[in-house]
Amino acid sequence: MTAHPPLQRLAVAYGIALEYVDAWGHRRSVADGVLRAVLAAMHVDAGSDEAITRAQDEVVQARCRQCLAAMTVVRESARPWRVGVNLPPRFASRKLAWRVLAEDGSEHVCPIGVPDAQPQPSSAPCLVLELPLDVPLGNGYHAIDLCADGTSVANAVLAVAPDACHRPAALRGGGRSWGLAVQLYGVRTARNFGIGDFTDLAELVARVGGEGGDVVGVNPLHALFPHDPAYASPYSPSSRMFVDVLYLDVEAVPEFAHCARAREHVASAAFQAAAAVLRASALVDYAGVSALKMRVLEMLYAQARDDARFGATSRWAAFDNYKTLGGQALRRQALFEALQEHFFARDPSIRGWPAWPREYRDPASPAITAFADEHVERVDYFAWLQWQADQQRDAVAQRARAAGLAIGLYTDLAVSVDRGGAEAWANQSLYAVTASVGAPPDVFNVRGQDWGLPPMIPARLRDAGYGPFIATLRANMKSAGALRIDHVMGLLRLYWVPSGAAPAEGAYVRYPVDDLLGLLALESERHRCLVIGEDLGTVPDEIRGKLAANDVLSYRVLLFERDASGSFNAPSSYPEAALATASTHDLPTLKGWWEGHDIALRAEHGHLGADTDLAAAMAERVRDRGQLLAALAREGLLPDGSPVDPHEAATLTPPLACALQAYLARTRCALLVVQPEDVFGVIEQANLPGTTTEHPNWRRKLPVPLEKWADDGRLHAVAARIGAERGSALR
């Protein structure tokens, strides 16, 4: 297709890359049709030459209408700072000054002097300048006004950020820690209702601490869809601002202690029998778990309201305070869930706000106000559930501190949200709902990937003063000692796939990476929260350098750490500022990889590629296994009696699995995380990318109940080997 220069210039103005380098090193140009579709998803009409001209004019006019960006992000050490200004020419000859109201309440006035600007045509709509600002400000969010002859002409926020993210004391100066990364839903116990819950997580944290570990990572705990519990992917949430209430331990809700109705119901033979069936299942039955839990939670909410009516007001007053602090975000989350429940009850095909009656799709509409007034108790119920979840998650963090974990809970932030969920409904102008985040074809998925999640529109995010990004960080750093950012390359760029297009027909869109990293560092320092970036897949060199400069730990997976000859990298070659792990939830378990189960699985689902021979892939895996055995032997870690021949070592034994964790423990990486699946010899992986219902994703439970981990002995053996390599000891 012939290039269209005006279209390409418009695309570049909106951050759309005209080409990219694929996983095989080939340069791929983006077709004009893809550029038009991505622009349309950004609400920019590029359907004709006239529309492109209008859109280009609007870019210039929009810049000049905004004298100051809503937020300017600078680094503390870069003072005096430079603040970008789009100044109307009539102000250029006036006496300019900054007026600053610092976060601590202090006020400052800083004269600017005559700006040094290049001559501009008299018709120029504005002067594009960088004006100096030299005021003694600490890290934080400060209000700034640009004044001309003493009168404010523009105001904004100046975010002053530290140079790097927070690093816990235990990981400074060569300190190294370790812990587990669990799928919370898959934790078995004798007391839960068929899904791991916050009480289980607190017990698991204490157990890991007792083994000398410092961190417990979990899958994203984001709010999903109570009306449809079977829709269970933690990486496709309704909202990243709130919590999945299915993780509540209903018996730990304070009202349970004095709610006779709930206690009798839970103690009944029918309830206990149903709970026993759910616990015994090898897969999480989300619908069954939800049916049990939600009925009890309804009873406990009714008890809470009765307590408030009959004089026990302290708990309800605390809830009212929680709602006040939660503000509009909490109210809209609760409203969304009440509305979705309401419409779903009428028509089970209705899933998400785009399918609601039109008058309810705008959260500020009169219909929404009327619904909220008519369903006050139901809206309160969903807000109350979030309050309970918030309290139980906080209790996990408290348990981690009590158990002496140097880091504690390690949470996971999904790359985006479900387009039909609460967060997209509440922030419709922010999300490109006619595009999806994904990935171009690569060696692991030759067709590319469409994750079905709408990306944020960079220009809208900037116009919002990065408020949604900051709020998301705060919600997920709360109660956390570490935060994993899924697909951290999204801070620099995301691959957009227009609706209806194949994943190969997408384009990369650039984001304001330096601003986002600055805000990440600021919130990380404020929350004392380590940051880990999941930088797997196609990773531009630019983002690796920026992440390192901001002390965001890289993600190093044993299965990928190999040199050009195919040999596995020695532990000494791993970087210090990184998290090391054998595998992840999206990759085969160690046992699955070792025995080639993942290859058979990918072949079954058509993910190997048309030109790949299954037998050849299996033979290559045998060679890979031999390389890993050789790596263990070089380090003196090969267990006694273990064969070096990969054909003879076709099964991953517990001693071999333990040796592989010791191999990673020997690296300089600041953090090592171990999947319980690799401790207990699980062959199936948690998630098979590119599938939804074809594979039981996000449902598999661990084979060993938490109460029996000590008797099983395998975790203790792994912990002892890691402790010997890392210098950690039993607590």
Side-chain angles (χ1 to χ4, degrees), residues 116-289:
D116 183 16
Q118 295 295 321
Q120 300 270 336
S122 59
S123 60
C126 61
L127 304 175
V128 180
L129 308 169
E130 283 194 341
L131 300 182
L133 174 56
D134 192 2
V135 177
L137 298 173
N139 292 334
Y141 300 94
H142 313 286
I144 60 172
D145 280 79
L146 178 63
C147 300
D149 294 337
T151 300
S152 175
V153 296
N155 56 76
V157 174
L158 179 75
V160 179
D163 290 334
C165 293
H166 173 71
R167 177 80 78 102
L171 301 185
R172 298 176 196 160
R176 299 181 299 165
S177 295
W178 74 278
L180 291 189
V182 304
Q183 304 296 313
L184 179 54
Y185 57 82
V187 175
R188 289 179 183 266
T189 63
R191 49 147 297 279
N192 70 32
F193 293 171
I195 188 172
D197 60 30
F198 287 119
T199 295
D200 296 332
L201 183 56
E203 292 296 326
L204 195 153
V205 162
R207 184 172 297 279
V208 170
E211 295 285 4
D214 279 316
V215 64
V216 172
V218 289
N219 54 283
L221 303 177
H222 305 322
L224 297 180
F225 296 88
H227 79 281
D228 185 13
Y231 187 78
S233 171
Y235 291 93
S236 299
S238 175
S239 173
R240 297 179 296 177
M241 297 285 294
F242 297 97
V243 182
D244 184 359
V245 298
L246 211 56
Y247 290 125
L248 279 169
D249 173 4
V250 299
E251 294 174 296
V253 174
E255 282 75 14
F256 187 81
H258 62 276
C259 181
R261 182 181 171 211
R263 293 174 68 85
E264 289 171 5
H265 176 69
V266 170
S268 69
F271 186 97
Q272 289 299 319
V277 170
L278 292 170
R279 276 194 292 269
S281 172
L283 301 175
V284 177
D285 177 355
Y286 286 99
V289 169

Side-chain angles (χ1 to χ4, degrees), residues 607-682:
H607 293 177
L608 280 185
D611 298 330
T612 303
D613 178 77
L614 179 58
M618 287 292 192
E620 183 178 358
R621 179 58 52 81
V622 172
R623 290 192 293 272
D624 291 343
R625 192 163 67 223
Q627 293 279 18
L628 198 45
L629 286 166
L632 290 174
R634 285 195 301 271
E635 292 293 321
L637 291 172
L638 198 63
D640 292 341
S642 290
V644 179
D645 186 330
H647 295 91
E648 296 178 19
T651 300
L652 184 69
T653 63
L656 271 172
C658 194
L660 290 170
Q661 300 298 345
Y663 186 89
L664 288 172
R666 190 169 287 185
T667 68
R668 296 185 301 127
C669 295
L671 199 57
L672 164 66
V673 295
V674 180
Q675 294 191 118
E677 289 85 351
D678 294 334
V679 174
F680 298 128
V682 175

Side-chain angles (χ1 to χ4, degrees), residues 505-535:
E505 299 169 341
Y508 278 104
V509 174
R510 191 175 179 91
Y511 286 75
V513 60
D514 292 324
D515 286 358
L516 298 180
L517 283 171
L519 294 170
L520 180 62
L522 177 53
E523 292 300 325
S524 164
E525 191 60 46
R526 291 197 156 186
H527 289 85
R528 315 301 291 170
C529 185
L530 175 72
V531 180
I532 300 144
E534 187 268 296
D535 53 350

